[in-house]
Every structure is written in C-alpha cells, then in structure tokens.
Amino acid sequence: MSTQDTTLTGSLLSAHELRKSFGPTPALDGASFSIRPGEVVAIMGPSGSGKSTLLHCLAGIVPPDSGTITYSGRHLTALSDAERSALRRNDFGFVFQFGQLVPELSCVENVALPLRLAGIKRKDAHRAAQKWLERLEVSDVGHKRPGEVSGGQGQRVAVARALVGSPRVVFADEPTGALDSYNGERVMQLLTDAARESQAAVVLVTHEARVAAYSDREIVVRDGQVRDAAVAV
Amino acid sequence: MSIGHTLLGLLESGPRHGYDLKRAFDEKFGHDRPVHYGQIYSTMSRLLKNGLVEVDGVESGSGPERKRYAITKAGITDVGQWLAQPEKPDPYLQSTLYTKVVLALLTGRSAVELLDTQRSEHLRMMRILTDRKRQGDIADQLICDHALFHLEADLRWLELTAARLDRLAQEVSA
C-alpha cells in the first residue's frame, strides 16, 4: 500500500495530485481531494477556478492528464472506458445545473431510466421512480414532460433520478444555479436529506455559500489547486 | 431592538401582566437572548410615566402585587409611528475584517490565509444556522435566513477581497 493510500484511509473516493489542461490552459494544477461514505463535501471557488473540471475528473467523465483517482479501492484512472461507464451507471448519480432530463420522456420515465438501463423491469422501475418523486414532493408531475414543469420541479425530478439507483456517490454541479433562492434551498434540503438517509456521499460544486452550508465541509479550488484538509499529503 | 416599542406592540392585543409580557417576548423574539424581568419592569415604569401604558388592575395574593398593564391611545399611536418609520440601514463602513487584511499586508503576514480562515469560520456559522433552520419553525427559518444573508454578503466580500489582494497590497505598500 502506498503512502497516499495510507493517508486516505476511510475515504470512498479520493484524488491525488490531479493535473488537467485544456490546450495550453491548466484547469487543474495539482488537486487533491477525499470524501468518506455518506459525507457531503462542497467544492467552492471562483468561476473558472477548475471546480467543475475536478468534479468531472472525480466522476470519471474526463480523464486527468496525470494524478490518481481511487474509488472504493480501485484506481479509476486504470479502468477501461466500458468499466468507467458501468461505474457511473451503477455507483454514481448526477445532478446538473439545468437538470438535463430527456425531453421526450415523462418525468417518471426520466427517473426510472437509470433502473431500466440496469435491467430492471419497467413496472418495478416506474414504481420505484414514483416513490422517489413522492419523496421529492413532485409526485404530481410524473406524467408530464420536463418542458411542462417549472425549473424547481425539474431539478427535484433530476435529484430523484440521481438517487433512484441507490448510488454511493452523487455528483451535483451547481444544482441550484438556475433556481430562485427559495426553490434552491428546498432542492438542497431534499437532496442532502435523501442522500444522508441513503448513506450516499455528495460531491457538490457550488459558488453559493448558502448552498455550501448544506454540506459537512467545504474545499476551495483556486487556480486549479485545492487545499483539502482531509487529505494529509 | 426597541424593547419599549416591542412590549407596547404586544400589549395592543390586550392587557397583560409583566410575567405574561416576558413570556410573549421570549417566545416571539427572545430565542437567543431572553429579556430579564428587571428590564421588563423598568421599561413598563418608563412607559407608565410617559402615559403610553396604564395599570389596568392589580392582583394581590400571597406573593407580591401583580400589576396588569394596558396600552393607552398615545401608546397605540407611538407603536404606529415606530412601525411606519424605516430602520436606518447599517452602512457597514467600519469593518474589522478590512482592518485585519490591511494590517496583515502591512506586516508581511499572509492575508490569503487570514481570508481563508475567516471564510471557514463564516461557513461554520452558516452550517449551524442552516441546521437550525432545517429543524425549526417558520419563525426560526426567518430569523436564521436574516443572519444567513448577512453572512453570505460577508463571504462575497471575502472572495472579492481575495481576488483583489495583489492590487490592495500594492496600494498599502506604496
């Protein structure tokens, strides 16, 4: 076991010295991060500081140029594309700023989608999806399409979709960025309550302090560098 | 907060004893800082002297006499005027944080670290308030929101200052 593994004992997902450039511009310049099971960690920082890039690397969406990412004892960076896709589908949930729901599907079908992709029967998937819509207080929009619901309702549907598959990590990138402060806070409350009950860890990217206040702790990204007190490097 | 006006306002719905006034005040406004009995009675004496309340009745039992207070017409007018008068916004121009940042730069200490430490402390308080808000009633939610918005404003200032530190350092050292 390396020194790095020892220092990150107890973490579910950790990153060490990540570097990532887009062309000549470095987005991450030696970023380290760690999150424990069931923990809610906010990634904060000014616009363009690299916080979304860090989230995308941690979630296996974007490969880093160098550095290591370890999830549940496995090196994410060493997995094949297919293995990373399977991991994202089975273990991770995602909430983005604008929901990114499938417009052609109803809200309940959107929530059921991760279960259907995992091979669960339509009837069972829809029953579970409807339960999550109830939990997120939007049971009445199940039959509607995303274009027919408000921004706040759409984000709750997106949270339901992120949690329906019982993920171990939820990645939320500015999940309240498009909402007014009342709806934003309600979404945060529902997201963090549901995640804590399900023992899911949440990696939350936000520039809003009021949203970050729903986390257990925060880290700040500046110029692609992160100081995470939980990582003793 | 003007305790006198608040007590007068509480009396508008009907006469109350000093003890009832304290209880009503603490329930509605004194979550974090209950008012002392002494403060209630000294305030009522002043309101009585100024003709804004009157003694509506006195109960005598085994203990000390208990006065029941009622608001007068002058008292109602006074409350109305107080409510109609906008509160003077705090200009927030005397900032300890600003002073600390400048002093850090002047003395060669790390202003970045100072701002980071302060940001963590602000967020810690925001977490406590957010948690209280989650578990509280509507009154708690509104009180906490008021505090949270102010803390958030401070945090935005901290971020902005962090982004302008180089420029400030140049001016300070000039």
Side-chain angles (χ1 to χ4, degrees), chain A residues 44 185 189 192-193 196 209-210 212-218 220 222 227, chain B residues 112-113 116 119-120 123 126-127 130 133-134 145 148-149 152 155 159 162:
Chain A
M44 302 184 74
E185 293 223 17
Q189 192 164 342
T192 49
D193 281 351
R196 284 188 173 111
R210 281 163 65 80
Y214 282 87
S215 67
D216 298 316
R217 64 184 174 88
E218 81 284 355
V220 180
R222 280 210 183 91
R227 280 203 300 178
Chain B
V112 172
E113 209 164 287
D116 274 351
R119 195 205 59 249
S120 295
L123 266 169
M126 287 182 79
R127 281 199 183 90
T130 300
K133 197 171 79 166
R134 289 167 85 132
D145 270 335
L148 282 163
F149 279 119
E152 187 184 31
L155 271 168
E159 285 302 326

Side-chain angles (χ1 to χ4, degrees), chain B residues 45-80:
Chain B
S45 300
R46 180 170 55 79
L47 297 175
L48 201 58
K49 196 173 128 194
N50 294 338
L52 301 176
V53 298
E54 59 194 9
V55 175
D56 183 59
V58 179
E59 282 174 24
S60 47
S62 53
E65 282 185 341
R66 296 177 68 207
K67 285 180 188 165
R68 201 165 68 153
Y69 299 97
I71 192 166
T72 62
K73 276 187 183 171
I76 292 172
T77 306
D78 200 54
V79 173

